[in-house]
Amino acid sequence: MPVIISYAEIFTLTTAAGINTFSQKEYVFQNDSKVSELTWDCPIIPYIELGVLSRLHNFEFNLSYATVIPIKSGTLKDLDFNSTDISQYSSHNLYVDKKYAFTFQAGYNFSSKNLFFFPFATFCYKNQKFFGRDGYYQYPETGIWTGNETKTNLKGNVISYESEFFIFGIGLSTAVTSKNFTVKLIGVLNPYIKGNAIDSHYMRKKQFYDSFDGKFGFSLSSEFYYKKIFLRLSYNHIPLLKGSTADNVIGVSNSDFLEQKNFQGGTCLDSFSLSLGRKI
């Protein structure tokens, strides 16, 4: 006899809204020595998320889309190094132009009374772009930066950084249910991460293209359900990724990117989010 499953059992929609905080660093290395470090710090920014859950017997598939609401939301600090000493320093306002992610999961549910285990494979695509605007710089004439140098104020866009990540992972979700309450713990290990970035410096009219990869990122999250309402806390870590870098001239249409053989680009990212949502 065939099994008939209603639409409501096959698909479940979820919506959520919350806050996100993150810190992303970008680096330039010369012969493995750090010569530049930019830190994009965002203490808080609102975001929304939509998800679709599909179940067929014990198989489960999840697709979600999350995006922040673009606002002025933090600071950018730009440091250049001479050996281990800071040689130049600048600080700017951070504006998030975009920051979104598509995530897909597929796995199989195992259950024993009120205990559920869900091993799964996952893929996530992240894309984000930030602007460093206004602010000031302190460039000492000689020696190292001390913080006592004269501040030269700036107006308008100074730096932008757009990056994308292709993140592959395996994970395990464990849930315990009791009447109307469910507690879920989720862990994901990322054995491979691929990334690209465009770093534009408008004062210098220079643009840099980085291509990098790495492994062993991870994410941890917990979810607390009361009937269809849930609270979610999540942490995501992308470790230092390193790779090739090439530069170009902004505003010159026929200028090609030229790879810098003795230099490497790099980035890393830490992100935390808190959201409240509902199953529909």
Side-chain angles (χ1 to χ4, degrees):
M1 180 177 181
V3 177
I4 301 175
I5 302 176
S6 69
Y7 179 89
E9 290 176 315
I10 295 178
F11 292 103
T12 301
L13 302 179
T14 61
T15 62
I19 54 174
N20 177 242
T21 178
F22 66 86
S23 179
Q24 183 170 0
K25 292 180 179 290
E26 56 167 312
Y27 300 96
V28 178
F29 300 94
Q30 183 177 19
N31 299 323
D32 292 327
S33 295
K34 182 172 64 175
V35 296
S36 179
E37 176 183 314
L38 286 80
T39 302
W40 303 83
D41 276 330
C42 177
I44 187 170
I45 189 169
Y47 83 99
I48 56 175
E49 182 176 349
L50 300 174
V52 179
L53 167 66
S54 177
R55 290 193 180 100
L56 183 61
H57 303 296
N58 285 351
F59 292 98
E60 186 173 306
F61 307 92
N62 296 278
L63 179 65
S64 66
Y65 170 74
T67 182
V68 303
I69 300 173
I71 58 172
K72 172 187 173 182
S73 50
T75 58
L76 162 64
K77 294 183 179 180
D78 183 1
L79 289 74
D80 292 331
F81 292 85
N82 181 6
S83 184
T84 57
D85 298 318
I86 299 174
S87 59
Q88 294 182 338
Y89 174 87
S90 67
S91 178
H92 316 279
N93 296 321
L94 188 161
Y95 289 79
V96 177
D97 180 68
K98 61 179 177 178
K99 185 175 186 288
Y100 66 86
F102 288 97
T103 303
F104 176 75
Q105 295 179 352
Y108 189 86
N109 258 312
F110 298 89
S111 62
S112 175
K113 294 183 179 179
N114 295 330
L115 187 62
F116 296 84
F117 298 95
F118 177 58
F120 59 88
T122 180
F123 171 76
C124 178
Y125 174 76
K126 293 179 181 286
N127 189 296
Q128 48 211 30
K129 185 176 183 179
F130 318 133
F131 282 93
R133 295 177 182 167
D134 306 329
Y136 65 90
Y137 69 80
Q138 292 176 301
Y139 292 171
E141 294 182 6
T142 59
I144 64 173
W145 174 77
T146 64
N148 298 319
E149 293 81 5
T150 300
K151 294 181 179 180
T152 301
N153 293 323
L154 302 168
K155 290 293 183 180
N157 291 332
V158 181
I159 301 172
S160 69
Y161 189 64
E162 182 173 7
S163 56
E164 64 176 355
F165 298 96
F166 304 85
I167 305 172
F168 302 86
I170 53 174
L172 176 65
S173 172
T174 303
V176 179
T177 63
S178 177
K179 294 183 179 179
N180 294 322
F181 296 92
T182 300
V183 177
K184 186 181 293 186
L185 301 176
I186 306 165
V188 178
L189 177 66
N190 306 120
Y192 182 70
I193 304 171
K194 171 68 178 175
N196 303 296
I198 290 284
D199 180 15
S200 301
H201 293 247
Y202 299 103
M203 291 176 57
R204 299 165 53 193
K205 295 186 177 180
K206 294 286 286 185
Q207 195 171 54
F208 302 89
Y209 175 76
D210 299 333
S211 181
F212 30 64
D213 58 10
K215 54 187 177 181
F216 299 129
F218 67 88
S219 63
L220 300 170
S221 60
S222 57
E223 298 176 353
F224 305 91
Y225 287 82
Y226 174 68
K227 295 183 178 179
K228 293 185 176 183
I229 306 297
F230 63 88
L231 178 70
R232 178 187 296 133
L233 296 89
S234 301
Y235 170 72
N236 176 244
H237 172 69
I238 295 178
L240 176 60
L241 311 177
K242 296 174 71 174
S244 64
T245 186
D247 65 8
N248 195 357
V249 179
I250 294 177
V252 179
S253 60
N254 62 348
S255 177
D256 295 326
F257 281 97
L258 299 177
E259 185 175 356
Q260 304 301 303
K261 297 294 186 180
N262 296 326
F263 291 86
Q264 284 185 304
T267 191
C268 62
L269 173 65
D270 288 283
S271 176
F272 175 81
S273 61
L274 171 66
S275 62
L276 183 66
R278 189 181 190 278
K279 290 184 176 182
I280 301 175

